[in-house]
Tab-separated table of all heavy atoms in Angstrom:
chain	number	residue	atom	x	y	z
A	249	PRO	N	67.592	93.626	104.058
A	249	PRO	CA	66.915	93.483	105.350
A	249	PRO	C	67.291	92.202	106.087
A	249	PRO	O	66.999	92.069	107.266
A	249	PRO	CB	65.434	93.440	104.943
A	249	PRO	CG	65.454	92.778	103.587
A	249	PRO	CD	66.731	93.228	102.920
A	252	SER	N	70.937	90.623	109.431
A	252	SER	CA	70.880	91.848	110.229
A	252	SER	C	70.556	91.572	111.699
A	252	SER	O	70.023	92.432	112.394
A	252	SER	CB	69.823	92.778	109.623
A	252	SER	OG	68.579	92.097	109.561
A	253	ARG	N	70.879	90.375	112.178
A	253	ARG	CA	70.582	90.025	113.570
A	253	ARG	C	71.206	91.049	114.537
A	253	ARG	O	70.585	91.418	115.549
A	253	ARG	CB	71.127	88.627	113.855
A	253	ARG	CG	70.860	88.079	115.237
A	253	ARG	CD	71.477	86.687	115.399
A	253	ARG	NE	70.848	85.731	114.490
A	253	ARG	CZ	69.789	84.977	114.793
A	253	ARG	NH1	69.247	85.073	115.987
A	253	ARG	NH2	69.281	84.149	113.921
A	254	ALA	N	72.394	91.532	114.201
A	254	ALA	CA	73.063	92.478	115.117
A	254	ALA	C	72.225	93.745	115.272
A	254	ALA	O	72.128	94.297	116.377
A	254	ALA	CB	74.464	92.827	114.596
A	255	ILE	N	71.615	94.201	114.195
A	255	ILE	CA	70.770	95.396	114.275
A	255	ILE	C	69.496	95.099	115.062
A	255	ILE	O	69.082	95.839	115.958
A	255	ILE	CB	70.386	95.913	112.862
A	255	ILE	CG1	71.631	96.329	112.082
A	255	ILE	CG2	69.387	97.078	112.957
A	255	ILE	CD1	71.367	96.783	110.649
A	256	VAL	N	68.895	93.955	114.732
A	256	VAL	CA	67.604	93.620	115.351
A	256	VAL	C	67.757	93.390	116.852
A	256	VAL	O	66.905	93.791	117.652
A	256	VAL	CB	66.968	92.393	114.649
A	256	VAL	CG1	65.685	91.969	115.352
A	256	VAL	CG2	66.705	92.689	113.185
A	257	GLU	N	68.875	92.764	117.241
A	257	GLU	CA	69.072	92.538	118.672
A	257	GLU	C	69.299	93.855	119.416
A	257	GLU	O	68.866	94.019	120.560
A	257	GLU	CB	70.213	91.559	118.911
A	257	GLU	CG	69.740	90.110	118.650
A	257	GLU	CD	70.829	89.057	118.751
A	257	GLU	OE1	72.022	89.426	118.793
A	257	GLU	OE2	70.467	87.863	118.790
A	258	ALA	N	69.946	94.815	118.749
A	258	ALA	CA	70.204	96.105	119.405
A	258	ALA	C	68.956	96.986	119.409
A	258	ALA	O	68.689	97.698	120.374
A	258	ALA	CB	71.352	96.824	118.697
A	259	TYR	N	68.202	96.951	118.333
A	259	TYR	CA	66.991	97.802	118.200
A	259	TYR	C	65.804	96.944	117.765
A	259	TYR	O	65.394	96.990	116.595
A	259	TYR	CB	67.258	98.960	117.209
A	259	TYR	CG	68.294	99.915	117.758
A	259	TYR	CD1	69.654	99.740	117.454
A	259	TYR	CD2	67.921	100.930	118.627
A	259	TYR	CE1	70.604	100.596	118.017
A	259	TYR	CE2	68.885	101.782	119.191
A	259	TYR	CZ	70.215	101.608	118.881
A	259	TYR	OH	71.165	102.436	119.425
A	260	PRO	N	65.240	96.162	118.702
A	260	PRO	CA	64.164	95.215	118.349
A	260	PRO	C	62.980	95.907	117.678
A	260	PRO	O	62.247	95.275	116.917
A	260	PRO	CB	63.760	94.627	119.700
A	260	PRO	CG	64.890	94.911	120.628
A	260	PRO	CD	65.569	96.142	120.125
A	261	GLU	N	62.815	97.212	117.929
A	261	GLU	CA	61.648	97.877	117.367
A	261	GLU	C	61.683	97.983	115.840
A	261	GLU	O	60.660	98.261	115.213
A	261	GLU	CB	61.480	99.282	117.989
A	261	GLU	CG	62.657	100.229	117.825
A	261	GLU	CD	63.728	100.107	118.934
A	261	GLU	OE1	63.881	99.007	119.510
A	261	GLU	OE2	64.435	101.105	119.203
A	262	VAL	N	62.833	97.738	115.211
A	262	VAL	CA	62.861	97.773	113.739
A	262	VAL	C	62.945	96.374	113.145
A	262	VAL	O	63.106	96.211	111.938
A	262	VAL	CB	64.034	98.638	113.200
A	262	VAL	CG1	63.911	100.069	113.703
A	262	VAL	CG2	65.391	98.027	113.539
A	263	GLY	N	62.816	95.362	113.993
A	263	GLY	CA	63.023	94.001	113.505
A	263	GLY	C	61.790	93.134	113.482
A	263	GLY	O	60.783	93.423	114.132
A	264	SER	N	61.867	92.059	112.718
A	264	SER	CA	60.874	90.982	112.755
A	264	SER	C	61.601	89.740	113.243
A	264	SER	O	62.712	89.450	112.787
A	264	SER	CB	60.329	90.671	111.357
A	264	SER	OG	59.710	91.803	110.802
A	265	VAL	N	60.968	89.030	114.173
A	265	VAL	CA	61.568	87.809	114.711
A	265	VAL	C	60.549	86.686	114.530
A	265	VAL	O	59.405	86.833	114.953
A	265	VAL	CB	61.922	87.977	116.206
A	265	VAL	CG1	62.568	86.709	116.751
A	265	VAL	CG2	62.845	89.176	116.403
A	276	MET	N	65.621	86.381	111.965
A	276	MET	CA	65.456	87.826	112.166
A	276	MET	C	65.724	88.575	110.864
A	276	MET	O	66.566	88.180	110.064
A	276	MET	CB	66.434	88.338	113.208
A	276	MET	CG	66.158	87.794	114.589
A	276	MET	SD	67.252	88.535	115.799
A	276	MET	CE	67.062	87.360	117.146
A	277	ALA	N	64.996	89.666	110.709
A	277	ALA	CA	65.223	90.562	109.563
A	277	ALA	C	64.648	91.913	109.948
A	277	ALA	O	63.886	92.017	110.922
A	277	ALA	CB	64.555	90.032	108.298
A	278	LEU	N	64.988	92.940	109.186
A	278	LEU	CA	64.341	94.226	109.425
A	278	LEU	C	62.856	94.090	109.078
A	278	LEU	O	62.482	93.299	108.214
A	278	LEU	CB	64.979	95.323	108.597
A	278	LEU	CG	66.447	95.617	108.909
A	278	LEU	CD1	66.877	96.923	108.236
A	278	LEU	CD2	66.714	95.676	110.403
Side-chain angles (χ1 to χ4, degrees):
S252 56
R253 183 181 296 269
I255 297 177
V256 175
E257 282 175 347
Y259 294 92
E261 58 273 28
V262 301
S264 300
V265 181
M276 294 184 197
L278 297 193

